[in-house]
Amino acid sequence: MMEMRRTIRCLAIFVILIILFSPITENSSGLGLERTDQQPSRDEFDVTITNLTLSNIEPKEGDNITISVTVRNNESFPIPNENIPIQNLTIRLIRFEQNITERKISMEAKTNSTFEFEWEAEGGRQTITAFLSAELADSKERVPLDEMSREIWVEPEPIGDIYSPIIALFLVFAVIFGSAVIPSIWSYLTDRNSSREKK
Amino acid sequence: MKPIREDILEDMKNTCLTVSFELKKHFRMKRMVISFALAIGLPLIFYIVPRIWASFPDTAEEFARLNLSFVNLLIIISGSLFAGDAVVGEYEEKTGLLLFSTPQRHTTIFIGKYIGALVPTLAVVSIYYLTTSLEIIGIYGTGEITSEFFKSFLIALIYTSSAVSLIFFFSSVLKRKITSTLLGFFSLMMILPIVSSVLQFIVDVEPWYILTYTEGLITDVFVGAPPIGGGPGGQPGLFSPDFYVGISVMIIYTLVLFFLGVFIATRRRME
């Protein structure tokens, strides 16, 4: 008897839990939108970066490089679109965690689009990363969709020249070693002046 | 009156005599052995540790930059060792009573003492660079010793002379050996870098006139290697020293502090 009551109680709790959580499972987007084929949930956007290319792969510091980012929209709806839960599709280019540039883009359904960005190359080994992200319509939270990186070697301009430190070092040593004989020259000059005055 | 030529030769001879005496003193006190051992041991860490537990950086420039970012530490240590007691020691230990009563000019004594501190410090830096260059040749080949490496070496030598001048100046001004050595060490190790960081990160001003800020040129000349985090939180500094301004600042520090140190030391009297 006790065993049966416990089983019934467990079943009742289970049923109550199902009833309580049923609205979430039915509408997991939580945005008040009914799921249709054209409006997927926030996790299901199929927008990706398919290519990241640089106009010059052996640039020198200061060269202007065109960075091309190709984005593929595999969805059956265009972006931006008022009926979908994301907006402000953005490409952000970064280098060593520093923003190079950022641009809002729009995409037609089932198409590839290439976006070009200008960048003045900085010397050394550089990693250029393109981030594709969008903003959730309800919370304005930015969600990452895809990213792609390219590494590039930018021939740096040399700092200074080799002759300046050589001259500087020579100057320092000449003054320091030369200062050892300054007192004798000084005393010679002052003695000569005083002996002239006596005469 | 002695002919000027004889006078000059005598001054030079006396300066050389003081330099050789200072060098012998440093050798006798095992300062040379300690600093030379550090000059060989410190760069060897950058060779042995990656050889056993990890891999070497991709390029020789990266390796040199990483290795030479610690040369300033050695400059400060050896500069404090050799120049910290150069002048003040004579007054504190009263050995000046014997030394200053000789017919030698006081200026030649102090200039000799300065050179006696500068020469071993320059030797220590040269040994550090020699060890690093041998490592680079061993890992990456002879062709990887670039003009940037020589540039860095020359800048390190100029920085060494300015660091020695600063410590020599403290040695001329202060009354205790320990105070002058510690003040010289900490001003280059902590005080000036803190002032430089505060100016950079809080006031947002480039501290081009601070000696330790210009020291960044030693590794900055390796333009091909990525910057090593130097500021608070390991972030690279907001500014980087200009090559020509940096060298000029080092020269000014060297000469002004050297002349001031010699001037104050010659005016100083035994108590």
Side-chain angles (χ1 to χ4, degrees), chain B residues 149-255:
Chain B
F149 190 82
F150 289 109
K151 225 186 277 179
S152 166
F153 175 55
L154 293 168
I155 294 166
L157 293 183
I158 304 169
Y159 179 68
T160 303
S161 59
S162 48
V164 168
S165 286
L166 182 77
I167 300 165
F168 181 80
F169 171 74
F170 286 135
S171 178
S172 306
V173 174
L174 297 169
K175 287 184 177 177
R176 300 281 305 274
K177 271 198 297 190
I178 188 80
T179 329
S180 110
T181 308
L182 285 179
L183 189 63
F185 179 83
F186 283 113
S187 55
L188 289 167
M189 193 74 189
M190 275 173 63
I191 301 166
L192 290 176
I194 288 172
V195 173
S196 171
S197 289
V198 167
L199 287 169
Q200 275 188 85
F201 293 96
I202 297 172
V203 189
D204 207 17
V205 167
E206 188 186 4
W208 58 268
Y209 42 84
I210 304 274
L211 180 62
T212 49
Y213 173 73
T214 62
E215 166 265 323
L217 281 174
I218 294 173
T219 50
D220 279 1
V221 288
F222 296 104
V223 281
I228 297 163
Q235 293 296 309
L238 292 176
F239 305 96
S240 54
D242 180 78
F243 186 79
Y244 300 103
V245 173
I247 288 178
S248 310
V249 168
M250 285 185 211
I251 295 173
I252 290 166
Y253 266 92
T254 307
L255 297 180

Side-chain angles (χ1 to χ4, degrees), chain A:
Chain A
M1 198 64 178
M2 283 288 282
E3 194 86 353
M4 206 176 153
R5 266 190 198 169
R6 196 178 293 161
T7 314
I8 291 165
R9 201 182 297 163
C10 283
L11 271 171
I13 291 168
F14 184 68
V15 169
I16 289 165
L17 280 173
I18 286 173
I19 292 164
L20 276 174
F21 287 99
S22 58
I24 297 172
T25 50
E26 271 175 27
N27 184 10
S28 61
S29 67
L31 299 165
L33 293 166
E34 279 181 34
R35 187 191 288 190
T36 64
D37 286 337
Q38 289 191 333
Q39 290 174 331
S41 76
R42 67 184 75 181
D43 309 321
E44 292 170 356
F45 294 109
D46 195 1
V47 188
T48 54
I49 296 173
T50 54
N51 203 6
L52 174 65
T53 55
L54 305 163
S55 60
N56 186 356
I57 53 164
E58 286 176 348
K60 286 185 177 172
E61 190 173 358
D63 283 357
N64 277 321
I65 297 176
T66 308
I67 302 168
S68 305
V69 184
T70 308
V71 180
R72 168 84 185 157
N73 181 11
N74 273 328
E75 300 294 348
S76 52
F77 52 81
I79 303 171
N81 179 354
E82 282 178 6
N83 300 321
I84 57 167
I86 59 162
Q87 50 183 259
N88 291 337
L89 192 64
T90 308
I91 295 177
R92 190 158 61 99
L93 285 181
I94 65 158
R95 167 200 152 263
F96 289 132
E97 296 178 8
Q98 285 175 339
N99 231 1
I100 297 174
T101 185
E102 193 171 319
R103 192 192 298 167
K104 281 180 192 166
I105 59 166
S106 52
M107 300 281 301
E108 290 301 316
K110 297 280 182 192
T111 54
N112 280 321
S113 295
T114 301
F115 303 94
E116 290 187 341
F117 300 87
E118 287 296 316
W119 173 57
E120 194 181 312
E122 288 173 57
R125 188 147 39 87
Q126 307 286 350
T127 306
I128 308 291
T129 309
F131 278 103
L132 183 68
S133 63
E135 226 172 63
L136 295 176
D138 59 343
S139 62
K140 301 288 177 200
E141 183 195 342
R142 187 154 282 282
V143 282
L145 297 173
D146 199 10
E147 67 176 77
M148 190 177 274
S149 294
R150 280 276 177 277
E151 217 168 73
I152 184 174
W153 169 256
V154 182
E155 185 73 43
E157 274 185 20
I159 294 177
D161 61 301
I162 192 113
Y163 303 107
S164 306
I166 293 173
I167 294 165
L169 209 57
F170 179 76
L171 178 78
V172 165
F173 289 160
V175 172
I176 289 167
F177 286 93
S179 61
V181 297
I182 289 172
S184 44
I185 296 167
W186 180 255
S187 66
Y188 173 78
L189 292 172
T190 48
D191 286 353
R192 202 171 63 170
N193 284 341
S194 60
S195 60
R196 267 186 197 164
E197 277 169 15
K198 275 178 192 173
K199 276 179 188 175

Side-chain angles (χ1 to χ4, degrees), chain A residues 169 173, chain B residues 117-127 153 156-158 160-161:
Chain A
L169 209 57
F173 289 160
Chain B
L118 181 65
V119 168
T121 319
L122 292 175
V124 166
V125 176
S126 305
I127 291 169
F153 175 55
L157 293 183
I158 304 169
T160 303
S161 59

